[in-house]
Coordinates of all heavy atoms in Angstrom, one line a residue:
M1 N 81.9 129.0 62.7 CA 82.7 128.9 63.9 C 83.1 127.4 64.2 O 82.3 126.5 63.8 CB 81.9 129.4 65.1 CG 82.6 129.4 66.4 SD 81.7 130.2 67.7 CE 82.5 129.7 69.1
K2 N 84.2 127.2 64.8 CA 84.7 125.9 65.0 C 83.8 125.1 66.0 O 83.4 125.7 67.1 CB 86.1 126.0 65.6 CG 86.9 124.8 65.7 CD 88.3 125.1 66.1 CE 89.1 123.9 66.2 NZ 90.5 124.1 66.7
D3 N 83.5 123.9 65.7 CA 82.7 123.1 66.6 C 83.5 122.7 67.8 O 84.7 122.2 67.7 CB 82.2 121.8 65.9 CG 81.1 122.1 64.9 OD1 80.4 123.2 65.1 OD2 80.9 121.3 64.0
I4 N 83.0 122.8 69.0 CA 83.7 122.5 70.2 C 83.2 121.1 70.7 O 82.0 120.9 70.9 CB 83.4 123.5 71.3 CG1 83.9 124.9 70.9 CG2 84.1 123.1 72.6 CD1 83.6 126.0 71.8
P5 N 84.1 120.1 70.8 CA 83.6 118.8 71.2 C 83.1 118.8 72.7 O 83.5 119.7 73.4 CB 84.9 117.9 71.1 CG 86.0 118.9 71.0 CD 85.5 120.2 70.5
T6 N 82.3 117.9 73.0 CA 81.7 117.8 74.4 C 82.7 117.2 75.3 O 83.1 116.0 75.1 CB 80.4 117.0 74.3 OG1 79.6 117.6 73.4 CG2 79.8 117.1 75.7
P7 N 83.1 117.9 76.4 CA 84.0 117.3 77.4 C 83.3 116.4 78.4 O 82.1 116.6 78.5 CB 84.6 118.5 78.1 CG 83.5 119.5 78.0 CD 82.9 119.3 76.6
V8 N 84.0 115.5 79.0 CA 83.4 114.6 80.0 C 84.3 114.6 81.2 O 85.5 114.7 81.1 CB 83.4 113.1 79.4 CG1 82.8 112.2 80.4 CG2 82.6 113.1 78.1
L9 N 83.7 114.6 82.4 CA 84.4 114.5 83.6 C 85.4 113.3 83.6 O 85.0 112.3 83.2 CB 83.5 114.4 84.8 CG 82.8 115.7 85.3 CD1 81.9 115.4 86.5 CD2 83.8 116.8 85.6
G10 N 86.6 113.5 84.0 CA 87.6 112.4 84.1 C 88.3 112.3 82.8 O 89.2 111.4 82.7
Q11 N 88.0 113.0 81.8 CA 88.7 112.9 80.5 C 90.0 113.6 80.5 O 90.2 114.7 81.1 CB 87.8 113.5 79.4 CG 88.3 113.3 78.0 CD 87.3 113.7 76.9 OE1 86.3 114.4 77.2 NE2 87.5 113.3 75.7
L12 N 91.0 113.0 79.9 CA 92.3 113.6 79.8 C 92.4 114.6 78.7 O 91.8 114.4 77.7 CB 93.4 112.5 79.7 CG 93.8 111.8 81.0 CD1 93.0 110.6 81.2 CD2 95.3 111.6 81.0
V13 N 93.2 115.6 78.9 CA 93.3 116.7 77.9 C 94.8 117.0 77.8 O 95.6 116.8 78.7 CB 92.5 118.0 78.2 CG1 91.1 117.7 78.2 CG2 93.0 118.6 79.5
K14 N 95.2 117.5 76.6 CA 96.5 118.0 76.4 C 96.4 119.5 76.2 O 95.6 120.0 75.4 CB 97.2 117.4 75.1 CG 98.6 117.9 74.9 CD 99.2 117.2 73.7 CE 100.6 117.7 73.5 NZ 101.2 117.0 72.3
V15 N 97.1 120.3 77.0 CA 97.0 121.7 76.9 C 97.8 122.2 75.7 O 99.0 121.8 75.5 CB 97.6 122.4 78.2 CG1 97.6 123.9 78.1 CG2 96.9 121.9 79.4
I16 N 97.2 122.9 74.8 CA 97.8 123.3 73.5 C 98.1 124.8 73.5 O 98.8 125.2 72.5 CB 97.0 122.9 72.3 CG1 95.6 123.4 72.3 CG2 97.0 121.4 72.2 CD1 94.8 123.1 71.1
Q17 N 97.6 125.6 74.4 CA 98.0 127.0 74.5 C 98.1 127.4 75.9 O 97.4 126.9 76.8 CB 96.9 127.8 73.8 CG 97.0 127.9 72.3 CD 96.1 128.9 71.7 OE1 95.1 129.3 72.3 NE2 96.3 129.2 70.5
G18 N 99.0 128.3 76.2 CA 99.2 128.9 77.5 C 100.5 128.5 78.1 O 101.3 127.8 77.5
R19 N 100.6 128.8 79.4 CA 101.9 128.5 80.1 C 102.1 127.0 80.3 O 103.3 126.6 80.3 CB 101.7 129.2 81.5 CG 103.0 129.0 82.3 CD 102.8 129.8 83.6 NE 102.7 131.2 83.3 CZ 102.5 132.2 84.2 NH1 102.3 131.8 85.5 NH2 102.5 133.4 83.9
D20 N 101.1 126.2 80.4 CA 101.2 124.8 80.6 C 101.2 124.0 79.2 O 100.9 122.8 79.2 CB 100.1 124.3 81.5 CG 100.1 124.9 82.8 OD1 101.2 125.3 83.3 OD2 99.0 125.1 83.4
E21 N 101.5 124.7 78.1 CA 101.4 124.1 76.8 C 102.2 122.8 76.7 O 103.4 122.7 77.2 CB 101.9 125.0 75.8 CG 101.8 124.5 74.3 CD 102.3 125.6 73.3 OE1 102.4 126.8 73.7 OE2 102.6 125.2 72.2
G22 N 101.6 121.7 76.2 CA 102.3 120.5 76.0 C 102.1 119.5 77.2 O 102.6 118.4 77.1
T23 N 101.5 119.9 78.3 CA 101.3 119.1 79.4 C 99.9 118.4 79.4 O 99.0 118.9 78.6 CB 101.4 119.8 80.7 OG1 100.4 120.9 80.8 CG2 102.8 120.5 80.9
Y24 N 99.7 117.4 80.2 CA 98.4 116.7 80.2 C 97.8 117.0 81.6 O 98.5 117.2 82.6 CB 98.6 115.2 80.1 CG 99.1 114.8 78.7 CD1 100.4 114.7 78.3 CD2 98.1 114.5 77.7 CE1 100.8 114.3 77.1 CE2 98.5 114.2 76.4 CZ 99.8 114.1 76.1 OH 100.2 113.7 74.9
A25 N 96.5 117.0 81.6 CA 95.7 117.2 82.8 C 94.4 116.4 82.7 O 94.1 115.8 81.6 CB 95.4 118.7 83.0
V26 N 93.6 116.4 83.7 CA 92.3 115.7 83.8 C 91.2 116.8 84.0 O 91.4 117.7 84.8 CB 92.3 114.7 84.9 CG1 91.0 114.0 85.0 CG2 93.5 113.7 84.8
I27 N 90.1 116.6 83.3 CA 88.9 117.5 83.5 C 88.3 117.1 84.8 O 87.8 116.0 85.0 CB 87.9 117.4 82.3 CG1 88.6 117.8 81.0 CG2 86.7 118.2 82.7 CD1 87.7 117.7 79.8
I28 N 88.2 118.1 85.7 CA 87.5 117.8 87.0 C 86.2 118.6 87.2 O 85.5 118.5 88.2 CB 88.4 118.0 88.2 CG1 89.0 119.4 88.2 CG2 89.6 117.0 88.2 CD1 89.7 119.8 89.5
G29 N 86.0 119.5 86.2 CA 84.8 120.3 86.2 C 84.5 120.9 84.9 O 85.4 121.1 84.1
I30 N 83.2 121.1 84.6 CA 82.8 121.7 83.3 C 81.9 122.9 83.6 O 81.0 122.8 84.4 CB 82.0 120.6 82.5 CG1 82.9 119.4 82.3 CG2 81.5 121.2 81.2 CD1 82.2 118.2 81.7
E31 N 82.2 124.0 82.9 CA 81.4 125.2 82.9 C 80.9 125.5 81.5 O 81.7 125.9 80.7 CB 82.3 126.3 83.4 CG 81.6 127.6 83.6 CD 82.5 128.7 84.1 OE1 83.1 128.6 85.2 OE2 82.6 129.8 83.4
E32 N 79.6 125.2 81.3 CA 79.1 125.4 80.0 C 79.2 126.8 79.6 O 79.1 127.7 80.4 CB 77.6 124.9 80.0 CG 77.4 123.4 80.3 CD 78.0 122.5 79.2 OE1 78.2 122.9 78.1 OE2 78.4 121.4 79.5
P33 N 79.3 127.2 78.3 CA 79.3 126.2 77.2 C 80.7 125.9 76.7 O 80.9 124.9 76.0 CB 78.6 127.0 76.1 CG 79.0 128.5 76.4 CD 79.1 128.5 77.9
R34 N 81.7 126.6 77.2 CA 83.0 126.4 76.5 C 84.2 126.4 77.5 O 85.4 126.6 77.0 CB 83.3 127.3 75.4 CG 83.2 128.8 75.7 CD 83.5 129.6 74.5 NE 84.5 130.5 74.8 CZ 84.6 131.8 74.4 NH1 83.6 132.2 73.6 NH2 85.6 132.5 74.7
F35 N 84.0 126.2 78.8 CA 85.1 126.2 79.7 C 85.2 124.9 80.5 O 84.1 124.3 80.8 CB 85.1 127.4 80.7 CG 85.3 128.7 80.0 CD1 84.3 129.5 79.6 CD2 86.6 129.1 79.7 CE1 84.5 130.7 79.0 CE2 86.9 130.4 79.1 CZ 85.8 131.1 78.8
V36 N 86.4 124.5 80.8 CA 86.5 123.3 81.7 C 87.5 123.7 82.8 O 88.3 124.6 82.7 CB 87.1 122.1 80.9 CG1 86.0 121.6 80.0 CG2 88.4 122.4 80.2
F37 N 87.5 122.9 83.9 CA 88.4 123.1 85.0 C 89.3 121.8 84.9 O 88.8 120.7 85.0 CB 87.7 123.2 86.3 CG 87.0 124.5 86.5 CD1 85.6 124.6 86.2 CD2 87.6 125.6 86.9 CE1 84.9 125.7 86.3 CE2 86.9 126.8 87.1 CZ 85.6 126.9 86.8
I38 N 90.6 122.1 84.9 CA 91.6 121.0 84.8 C 92.5 121.0 85.9 O 92.8 122.1 86.5 CB 92.3 121.0 83.4 CG1 93.2 122.3 83.3 CG2 91.4 120.8 82.3 CD1 94.1 122.3 82.1
A39 N 93.0 119.8 86.3 CA 94.0 119.7 87.3 C 95.0 118.6 87.0 O 94.5 117.6 86.3 CB 93.4 119.5 88.7
D40 N 96.2 118.7 87.4 CA 97.2 117.6 87.2 C 97.7 117.0 88.4 O 98.5 116.0 88.4 CB 98.3 118.1 86.3 CG 99.2 119.2 86.9 OD1 99.0 119.4 88.1 OD2 100.0 119.7 86.2
G41 N 97.3 117.5 89.6 CA 97.8 116.9 90.9 C 99.2 117.4 91.3 O 99.6 117.1 92.4
D42 N 99.9 118.1 90.4 CA 101.2 118.6 90.7 C 101.2 120.1 90.7 O 101.2 120.7 91.8 CB 102.2 118.0 89.7 CG 103.6 118.3 90.0 OD1 104.0 118.5 91.2 OD2 104.4 118.4 89.0
K43 N 101.3 120.7 89.6 CA 101.3 122.2 89.5 C 99.9 122.7 89.7 O 99.7 123.7 90.4 CB 101.8 122.6 88.1 CG 101.9 124.1 88.0 CD 102.5 124.5 86.7 CE 102.6 126.0 86.6 NZ 103.0 126.4 85.2
R44 N 98.9 122.0 89.2 CA 97.5 122.4 89.3 C 96.8 121.4 90.2 O 96.5 120.3 89.8 CB 96.8 122.5 88.0 CG 97.4 123.4 87.0 CD 97.1 124.9 87.4 NE 97.7 125.8 86.5 CZ 97.7 127.1 86.6 NH1 97.2 127.6 87.7 NH2 98.3 127.9 85.7
K45 N 96.6 121.8 91.5 CA 96.0 120.9 92.5 C 94.5 120.9 92.3 O 93.9 121.7 91.7 CB 96.4 121.3 93.9 CG 97.8 121.5 94.2 CD 98.5 120.2 94.3 CE 99.9 120.5 94.8 NZ 100.8 119.4 94.8
F46 N 93.9 119.8 92.9 CA 92.4 119.7 92.8 C 91.7 120.9 93.4 O 90.7 121.4 92.9 CB 92.0 118.4 93.5 CG 90.5 118.3 93.5 CD1 89.8 117.8 92.4 CD2 89.7 118.7 94.6 CE1 88.4 117.7 92.4 CE2 88.3 118.6 94.6 CZ 87.7 118.1 93.5
D47 N 92.3 121.4 94.5 CA 91.6 122.6 95.2 C 91.7 123.9 94.5 O 91.0 124.8 94.7 CB 92.2 122.7 96.6 CG 91.9 121.5 97.5 OD1 90.8 120.9 97.3 OD2 92.7 121.2 98.4
Q48 N 92.7 124.0 93.5 CA 92.9 125.2 92.7 C 93.1 124.8 91.3 O 94.2 125.0 90.7 CB 94.1 126.0 93.2 CG 93.9 126.6 94.6 CD 95.0 127.4 95.1 OE1 96.1 127.3 94.6 NE2 94.7 128.4 96.0
P49 N 92.0 124.3 90.6 CA 92.1 123.9 89.2 C 92.3 125.1 88.3 O 92.0 126.3 88.7 CB 90.8 123.2 89.0 CG 89.8 123.8 89.9 CD 90.6 124.2 91.1
K50 N 92.7 124.9 87.1 CA 92.8 125.9 86.1 C 91.6 125.9 85.2 O 91.1 124.9 84.7 CB 94.1 125.6 85.2 CG 94.3 126.6 84.1 CD 94.7 127.9 84.5 CE 95.0 128.8 83.3 NZ 95.0 130.2 83.7
R51 N 91.0 127.1 85.0 CA 89.9 127.3 84.1 C 90.4 127.5 82.7 O 91.2 128.5 82.5 CB 89.1 128.5 84.6 CG 87.8 128.7 83.8 CD 87.1 129.9 84.4 NE 85.9 130.1 83.6 CZ 85.7 131.2 82.9 NH1 86.6 132.2 82.9 NH2 84.5 131.4 82.3
K52 N 90.1 126.6 81.8 CA 90.6 126.7 80.4 C 89.5 126.7 79.4 O 88.5 126.0 79.6 CB 91.5 125.5 80.1 CG 92.8 125.4 80.8 CD 93.8 126.5 80.4 CE 94.5 126.1 79.1 NZ 95.6 127.1 78.8
N53 N 89.7 127.5 78.4 CA 88.8 127.6 77.3 C 89.0 126.3 76.5 O 90.1 125.8 76.3 CB 89.2 128.8 76.4 CG 88.3 129.0 75.3 OD1 87.7 128.1 74.7 ND2 88.1 130.3 75.0
M54 N 87.9 125.7 76.0 CA 87.9 124.4 75.3 C 88.8 124.5 74.0 O 89.3 123.5 73.5 CB 86.5 124.0 74.9 CG 85.8 123.4 76.1 SD 86.5 121.9 76.6 CE 86.4 120.9 75.2
L55 N 88.9 125.7 73.5 CA 89.8 125.9 72.3 C 91.2 125.8 72.6 O 92.1 125.7 71.7 CB 89.5 127.3 71.6 CG 88.0 127.5 71.1 CD1 87.8 128.9 70.6 CD2 87.6 126.4 70.1
H56 N 91.6 125.8 73.9 CA 93.0 125.8 74.3 C 93.5 124.4 74.8 O 94.6 124.3 75.2 CB 93.3 126.9 75.3 CG 93.0 128.3 74.8 ND1 93.1 129.4 75.6 CD2 92.8 128.7 73.6 CE1 92.8 130.4 74.9 NE2 92.6 130.1 73.7
V57 N 92.6 123.5 74.7 CA 92.9 122.1 75.1 C 92.5 121.1 74.0 O 91.6 121.4 73.2 CB 92.3 121.7 76.4 CG1 92.8 122.5 77.6 CG2 90.8 121.7 76.3
E58 N 93.2 120.0 73.9 CA 92.9 119.0 73.0 C 92.4 117.8 73.7 O 93.2 117.2 74.5 CB 94.2 118.6 72.2 CG 94.1 117.6 71.2 CD 95.5 117.3 70.6 OE1 95.9 118.2 69.8 OE2 96.1 116.2 70.9
L59 N 91.2 117.4 73.5 CA 90.6 116.3 74.2 C 91.2 115.0 73.8 O 91.4 114.8 72.6 CB 89.1 116.2 74.0 CG 88.2 117.3 74.6 CD1 86.8 117.1 74.2 CD2 88.4 117.4 76.1
Q60 N 91.6 114.1 74.7 CA 92.1 112.8 74.4 C 91.0 111.8 74.5 O 89.9 112.0 75.1 CB 93.2 112.5 75.4 CG 94.3 113.5 75.5 CD 95.1 113.6 74.2 OE1 95.7 112.7 73.7 NE2 95.1 114.8 73.7
Q61 N 91.2 110.6 73.9 CA 90.2 109.6 74.0 C 90.0 109.0 75.4 O 89.0 108.4 75.7 CB 90.5 108.5 73.0 CG 90.5 108.9 71.5 CD 89.1 109.3 71.1 OE1 88.2 108.7 71.4 NE2 89.1 110.4 70.2
A62 N 91.1 109.0 76.2 CA 91.1 108.3 77.5 C 90.2 109.1 78.5 O 90.3 110.3 78.6 CB 92.5 108.2 78.0
I63 N 89.4 108.3 79.2 CA 88.6 108.8 80.3 C 89.0 107.9 81.5 O 88.9 106.7 81.5 CB 87.1 108.7 80.0 CG1 86.8 109.6 78.8 CG2 86.3 109.1 81.3 CD1 85.4 109.4 78.4
S64 N 89.4 108.5 82.6 CA 89.8 107.8 83.8 C 88.5 107.5 84.7 O 87.9 108.4 85.2 CB 90.8 108.6 84.6 OG 91.0 108.0 85.9
H65 N 88.2 106.2 84.7 CA 87.0 105.8 85.5 C 87.3 105.9 87.0 O 86.4 106.1 87.8 CB 86.6 104.4 85.1 CG 86.2 104.4 83.6 ND1 85.0 105.0 83.2 CD2 86.7 103.9 82.5 CE1 84.9 104.8 81.9 NE2 85.9 104.1 81.5
E66 N 88.6 105.9 87.4 CA 88.9 106.0 88.8 C 88.6 107.4 89.2 O 88.0 107.7 90.3 CB 90.4 105.8 89.0 CG 90.9 104.4 88.7 CD 92.4 104.3 88.7 OE1 93.1 105.3 88.4 OE2 92.9 103.2 89.0
V67 N 88.9 108.4 88.4 CA 88.6 109.8 88.7 C 87.1 110.0 88.7 O 86.6 110.7 89.6 CB 89.3 110.8 87.7 CG1 88.9 112.2 87.9 CG2 90.8 110.7 87.9
V68 N 86.4 109.5 87.7 CA 85.0 109.7 87.7 C 84.3 109.1 88.9 O 83.4 109.7 89.5 CB 84.4 109.0 86.4 CG1 82.9 109.0 86.4 CG2 85.0 109.7 85.1
D69 N 84.7 107.9 89.3 CA 84.1 107.2 90.5 C 84.4 108.0 91.7 O 83.5 108.2 92.6 CB 84.6 105.8 90.6 CG 84.1 104.9 89.5 OD1 83.2 105.2 88.8 OD2 84.8 103.8 89.3
S70 N 85.6 108.5 91.8 CA 85.9 109.3 93.0 C 85.1 110.6 93.1 O 84.7 111.0 94.2 CB 87.4 109.6 93.0 OG 87.8 110.2 94.2
L71 N 85.0 111.3 92.0 CA 84.2 112.5 91.9 C 82.7 112.2 92.3 O 82.1 113.0 93.0 CB 84.3 113.2 90.5 CG 85.6 113.9 90.2 CD1 85.6 114.3 88.8 CD2 85.8 115.1 91.1
K72 N 82.2 111.1 91.8 CA 80.8 110.8 92.1 C 80.6 110.4 93.6 O 79.6 110.8 94.2 CB 80.3 109.6 91.2 CG 80.0 110.0 89.8 CD 79.5 108.8 89.0 CE 79.3 109.2 87.6 NZ 78.9 108.0 86.7
D73 N 81.5 109.6 94.1 CA 81.4 109.2 95.5 C 81.6 110.3 96.5 O 80.8 110.5 97.4 CB 82.5 108.1 95.8 CG 82.2 106.8 95.1 OD1 81.0 106.7 94.6 OD2 83.1 106.0 95.0
S74 N 82.7 111.1 96.4 CA 83.0 112.1 97.4 C 83.0 113.5 96.9 O 83.1 114.5 97.7 CB 84.3 111.8 98.0 OG 85.3 111.9 97.1
G75 N 82.8 113.7 95.6 CA 82.9 115.1 95.1 C 84.3 115.6 94.9 O 84.4 116.8 94.5
R76 N 85.3 114.8 95.2 CA 86.7 115.3 95.0 C 87.5 114.1 94.6 O 87.1 112.9 94.7 CB 87.2 116.0 96.2 CG 87.0 115.3 97.6 CD 87.5 116.2 98.7 NE 88.9 116.5 98.6 CZ 89.3 117.8 98.4 NH1 88.5 118.8 98.4 NH2 90.6 118.0 98.3
V77 N 88.8 114.4 94.3 CA 89.7 113.3 93.9 C 91.1 113.8 94.5 O 91.4 115.0 94.5 CB 89.8 113.1 92.4 CG1 90.2 114.4 91.7 CG2 90.6 112.0 92.0
T78 N 91.9 112.8 94.9 CA 93.2 113.1 95.5 C 94.1 113.5 94.4 O 94.0 113.1 93.2 CB 93.8 111.9 96.2 OG1 94.0 110.9 95.3 CG2 92.8 111.5 97.4
N79 N 95.1 114.4 94.7 CA 96.1 114.8 93.8 C 97.0 113.7 93.4 O 97.4 113.6 92.2 CB 96.9 116.0 94.4 CG 96.1 117.2 94.5 OD1 95.4 117.6 93.6 ND2 96.2 117.9 95.7
S80 N 97.2 112.7 94.3 CA 98.1 111.6 93.9 C 97.4 110.7 92.9 O 98.0 110.2 92.0 CB 98.4 110.8 95.2 OG 97.3 110.3 95.8
K81 N 96.1 110.6 92.9 CA 95.3 109.8 91.9 C 95.4 110.5 90.6 O 95.6 109.9 89.5 CB 93.9 109.7 92.3 CG 93.1 108.7 91.5 CD 91.7 108.4 92.0 CE 91.8 107.5 93.2 NZ 90.5 107.0 93.6
L82 N 95.3 111.8 90.6 CA 95.5 112.6 89.3 C 96.8 112.4 88.7 O 97.0 112.1 87.5 CB 95.2 114.1 89.5 CG 93.8 114.5 89.9 CD1 93.8 116.0 90.3 CD2 92.9 114.2 88.7
R83 N 97.9 112.5 89.5 CA 99.3 112.3 89.0 C 99.4 110.8 88.5 O 100.0 110.6 87.4 CB 100.3 112.5 90.1 CG 100.4 114.0 90.5 CD 101.6 114.2 91.4 NE 101.6 113.4 92.7 CZ 101.0 113.9 93.8 NH1 100.5 115.1 93.8 NH2 101.0 113.1 94.9
Y84 N 98.9 109.9 89.2 CA 98.9 108.4 88.8 C 98.3 108.2 87.4 O 98.8 107.6 86.5 CB 98.3 107.6 89.9 CG 98.2 106.1 89.5 CD1 99.3 105.3 89.6 CD2 97.0 105.6 89.1 CE1 99.2 103.9 89.3 CE2 96.9 104.2 88.7 CZ 98.0 103.4 88.9 OH 97.9 102.1 88.5
V85 N 97.1 108.8 87.2 CA 96.3 108.6 86.0 C 97.1 109.2 84.8 O 97.3 108.6 83.8 CB 94.9 109.2 86.1 CG1 94.3 109.4 84.8 CG2 94.1 108.4 87.1
I86 N 97.6 110.4 85.0 CA 98.4 111.1 84.0 C 99.7 110.4 83.6 O 100.0 110.2 82.5 CB 98.6 112.6 84.3 CG1 97.3 113.3 84.4 CG2 99.6 113.2 83.4 CD1 97.4 114.7 85.0
E87 N 100.4 109.9 84.7 CA 101.6 109.2 84.4 C 101.4 107.9 83.7 O 102.1 107.6 82.7 CB 102.2 108.8 85.8 CG 103.6 108.2 85.7 CD 104.2 107.9 87.0 OE1 103.9 108.5 88.0 OE2 105.0 106.9 87.1
N88 N 100.3 107.2 84.0 CA 100.0 105.9 83.3 C 99.6 106.2 81.8 O 100.0 105.5 80.9 CB 98.9 105.2 83.9 CG 99.3 104.3 85.1 OD1 100.5 104.2 85.3 ND2 98.4 103.8 85.9
Y89 N 98.9 107.3 81.6 CA 98.5 107.7 80.2 C 99.7 108.0 79.4 O 99.8 107.6 78.2 CB 97.5 108.8 80.3 CG 97.0 109.2 78.9 CD1 96.2 108.3 78.1 CD2 97.4 110.4 78.3 CE1 95.8 108.7 76.9 CE2 97.0 110.7 77.0 CZ 96.2 109.9 76.3 OH 95.8 110.2 75.1
T90 N 100.6 108.8 79.9 CA 101.8 109.2 79.2 C 102.7 108.0 78.9 O 103.3 108.0 77.8 CB 102.6 110.4 79.9 OG1 102.9 109.9 81.2 CG2 101.8 111.6 79.9
K91 N 102.8 107.1 79.8 CA 103.5 105.9 79.6 C 102.9 105.1 78.4 O 103.6 104.5 77.6 CB 103.6 105.0 80.8 CG 104.6 105.4 81.9 CD 104.6 104.5 83.1 CE 105.5 105.0 84.1 NZ 105.5 104.1 85.3
Q92 N 101.6 105.0 78.4 CA 100.9 104.3 77.3 C 101.2 105.0 76.0 O 101.4 104.3 74.9 CB 99.4 104.2 77.5 CG 99.0 103.2 78.6 CD 97.5 103.3 78.9 OE1 96.8 104.1 78.3 NE2 97.1 102.4 79.8
L93 N 101.2 106.3 76.0 CA 101.5 107.1 74.7 C 102.9 106.8 74.2 O 103.1 106.6 73.1 CB 101.3 108.5 75.0 CG 99.8 109.1 75.0 CD1 99.9 110.6 75.2 CD2 99.1 108.8 73.7
S94 N 103.8 106.8 75.2 CA 105.2 106.6 74.7 C 105.5 105.2 74.3 O 106.2 105.0 73.4 CB 106.2 107.0 75.9 OG 106.0 106.2 77.0
A95 N 104.8 104.2 74.9 CA 104.9 102.9 74.5 C 104.3 102.7 73.1 O 104.9 102.0 72.2 CB 104.2 101.9 75.5
A96 N 103.2 103.4 72.8 CA 102.6 103.3 71.5 C 103.5 103.9 70.4 O 103.5 103.4 69.3 CB 101.2 103.9 71.5
N97 N 104.1 105.0 70.8 CA 105.0 105.7 69.8 C 106.3 104.9 69.5 O 106.8 104.9 68.4 CB 105.4 107.0 70.4 CG 104.3 108.0 70.3 OD1 103.3 107.9 69.5 ND2 104.4 109.1 71.1
V98 N 106.7 104.1 70.5 CA 107.9 103.2 70.3 C 107.6 102.1 69.4 O 108.4 101.7 68.5 CB 108.4 102.7 71.7 CG1 109.4 101.6 71.5 CG2 109.0 103.8 72.5
E99 N 106.4 101.6 69.5 CA 105.9 100.4 68.6 C 105.8 100.8 67.2 O 105.9 100.0 66.3 CB 104.6 99.8 69.2 CG 104.8 99.1 70.5 CD 103.5 98.7 71.1 OE1 102.4 98.8 70.4 OE2 103.5 98.1 72.2
E100 N 105.4 102.1 66.9 CA 105.2 102.5 65.5 C 106.4 102.6 64.7 O 107.5 102.7 65.0 CB 104.5 103.9 65.5 CG 103.1 103.8 66.1 CD 102.5 105.2 66.1 OE1 103.2 106.2 65.8 OE2 101.3 105.3 66.4

């Protein structure tokens, strides 16, 4: 069976299967052994995250410490912060692709 990597709260993911395919989101919850809850602050709000199978998302190297700190402090994160984190990450990706 395929090894499932270990997700971390605040880690960015790329959705590779489903209606949201090709979009980015942030892990805001983990349900062992193979499900995560993701939100993007736009279509998927923090209050109604999407439960995704780990096989349907691609973990990215980036972990948002802003989201992690917010989750630790208050147990929640604002939708605007999620949108901000995803927007900055996608800008970095596009800048890296331009340089190549």
Side-chain angles (χ1 to χ4, degrees):
M1 187 173 161
K2 190 176 182 181
D3 287 337
I4 300 174
T6 306
V8 179
L9 283 178
Q11 188 170 15
L12 279 93
V13 296
K14 181 177 183 180
V15 180
I16 56 175
Q17 280 190 342
R19 183 175 295 175
D20 301 330
E21 183 178 345
T23 62
Y24 290 91
V26 180
I27 296 176
I28 59 169
I30 300 171
E31 183 181 303
E32 297 295 335
R34 57 181 231 217
F35 291 98
V36 292
F37 291 95
I38 61 172
D40 63 8
D42 185 28
K43 184 177 178 187
R44 300 286 179 190
K45 307 283 188 192
F46 177 82
D47 293 329
Q48 294 184 333
K50 176 70 177 167
R51 181 176 180 249
K52 289 293 278 186
N53 188 321
M54 283 296 299
L55 299 176
H56 298 172
V57 296
E58 180 180 288
L59 295 177
Q60 305 295 302
Q61 295 295 323
I63 298 174
S64 171
H65 297 289
E66 296 169 334
V67 172
V68 173
D69 293 342
S70 186
L71 285 170
K72 284 182 182 176
D73 291 344
S74 63
R76 48 184 304 114
V77 62
T78 62
N79 291 314
S80 61
K81 189 174 285 187
L82 291 172
R83 288 191 302 268
Y84 174 78
V85 166
I86 293 169
E87 184 179 336
N88 279 350
Y89 181 70
T90 55
K91 282 182 182 177
Q92 288 176 355
L93 281 181
S94 62
N97 287 339
V98 169
E99 291 175 3
E100 289 179 353

